[in-house]
Amino acid sequence: MATRQGPRKPPGGSINSEKLDRIVARARKEADARMLGYREQSLRLHPHVCARCGREFTRENLHELTVHHKDHNHDHNPPDGSNWENLCLYCHDWEHQKYSHLVRGAGAAFGLTARAKAKPATHSPFAGLKDLLDKKEES
């Protein structure tokens, strides 16, 4: 049995153009509302490239490009985009982790904080190397 291709006819066999017009109008209104968001504005203003690592983004992976507020104030959204930069997920995570040593409280031991608490290495792997080389030359 052959499968049918294309859209199905609505019940009654005719298209309700008023309903279709309402759906299209609502979709356009919602798209306009989304475009008012700072992410969409930044994506329109700035190239689809990570400002740190230079990774380029296409339509397929654009969801991995984030908008970073340069001054870390999410309420500061000038329309010219001067407080925004597009960063990939990895660079955006690093941007916020590099200040983790300033954060106190539960869950703050990540990023630089964890490295700062690490004890310095005391083992010297080449400590006896000169003696071993001198012995080898003598024999």
Side-chain angles (χ1 to χ4, degrees):
M1 183 171 165
T3 59
R4 206 169 110 150
Q5 299 294 323
R8 288 186 256 154
K9 287 186 177 182
S14 65
I15 295 174
N16 182 341
S17 59
E18 289 179 24
K19 183 177 180 182
L20 182 60
D21 289 342
R22 283 194 308 271
I23 291 171
V24 170
R26 188 180 74 210
R28 285 186 179 154
K29 186 176 180 181
E30 289 172 359
D32 290 343
R34 282 193 308 272
M35 292 308 274
L36 294 175
Y38 66 80
R39 181 175 192 275
E40 287 74 18
Q41 289 178 22
S42 181
L43 291 174
R44 273 200 321 261
L45 292 171
H46 301 110
H48 296 174
V49 174
C50 176
R52 297 290 161 82
C53 69
R55 180 178 167 202
E56 295 182 17
F57 291 83
T58 62
R59 181 180 294 199
E60 289 77 27
N61 64 355
L62 192 59
H63 63 276
E64 296 176 11
L65 189 62
T66 63
V67 177
H68 174 66
H69 288 80
K70 294 177 186 178
D71 68 358
H72 297 271
N73 179 357
H74 289 248
D75 294 326
H76 182 214
N77 294 305
D80 65 352
S82 58
N83 189 37
W84 304 323
E85 60 184 348
N86 293 341
L87 299 178
C88 70
L89 295 172
Y90 307 106
C91 292
H92 193 226
D93 283 348
W94 170 243
E95 181 64 30
H96 287 278
Q97 283 184 5
K98 72 182 186 181
Y99 296 110
S100 65
H101 66 284
L102 301 174
V103 178
R104 294 193 175 131
F110 64 92
L112 295 178
T113 304
R115 276 188 242 130
K117 291 180 181 178
K119 294 181 181 178
T122 56
H123 174 71
S124 178
F126 302 110
L129 183 61
K130 184 174 180 347
D131 294 335
L132 290 173
L133 290 173
D134 288 342
K135 285 181 184 179
K136 188 171 184 173
E137 287 178 7
E138 290 176 4
S139 49

